[in-house]
Amino acid sequence: ADGSAGASASGAHAPSAARVLLDNVRERMRAAGTADFGLGKATDFSLGSAHGQSNIAVARLLQSVLLALLEVEIAQPGEDALDRAIGLYATHTEVTSLLRGGGKDEGGKGGKVAGGKAAAGGSKGGAPKSAPPSSFPLALATSARLLKLA
C-alpha cells in the first residue's frame, strides 16, 4: 500500500522489518544534528592525533549515511519528502564544511582536512588541495527546488 518494492507477493499490508528499521533511521537522522555526533567548529580534525582521525571517520561515515538517506527521501512521493531531503542536504553540507576547515586548527597545522589529507600538507608550493567537487548534492538541491516548483 505504501508503493515500496519490498511488498510481499501475499499482499500483506505490514511493512517488512527492514522497512521499519529504515523508517526508524530516517526519523532519527532527521532529528539529529552534527553536535549529536560530537562534531562542531571546535572539533579536532587533525590527522596527527587518534582523536582527530576518529572525528574524520565519524564525519565521513555521517556523510555517507546522509547521502543514502537523501536518495531514499527523493524516491518518496510528496512535497514533504523533498523538504526532508533538503534538511538532510543541509546537514551534509554542514559536515562537509566542518571537514574542509570548520574544525579547530591547533597551532596552524593539520587541523583542517581537505580531500582526506591535512590541508597544511596537501600540496607543495601552492594552495592546499581542495576536496574533489561533489556534484551530487548540488544536482540534488537543484532538482528538489525544480520539483517543488512544479
Side-chain angles (χ1 to χ4, degrees):
D2 65 358
S4 68
S8 67
S10 66
H13 294 288
S16 68
R19 178 49 118 184
V20 170
L21 287 173
L22 177 62
D23 289 344
N24 185 315
V25 170
R26 286 170 53 210
E27 290 295 323
R28 294 174 81 179
M29 287 300 294
R30 279 196 301 266
T34 56
D36 295 318
F37 296 94
L39 304 176
K41 290 187 178 195
T43 302
D44 175 19
F45 291 109
S46 67
L47 292 172
S49 72
H51 190 67
Q53 291 177 13
S54 174
N55 290 334
I56 292 169
V58 167
R60 298 261 187 227
L61 180 61
L62 182 56
Q63 285 179 314
S64 297
V65 169
L66 289 166
L67 285 176
L69 291 175
L70 276 166
E71 290 181 20
V72 170
E73 290 296 349
I74 289 297
Q76 301 298 313
E79 189 173 314
D80 289 344
L82 291 175
D83 290 337
R84 292 188 302 262
I86 290 170
L88 291 169
Y89 170 71
T91 304
H92 182 275
T93 302
E94 183 179 352
V95 173
T96 301
S97 173
L98 290 171
L99 281 170
R100 287 188 176 160
K104 71 179 177 182
D105 189 5
E106 296 188 20
K109 294 187 181 183
K112 297 178 182 179
V113 172
K117 296 185 179 181
S123 64
K124 292 184 179 180
K129 228 179 192 182
S130 64
S134 175
S135 60
F136 175 75
L138 179 61
L140 177 66
T142 304
S143 298
R145 285 190 190 111
L146 288 173
L147 289 171
K148 207 169 188 182
L149 293 174

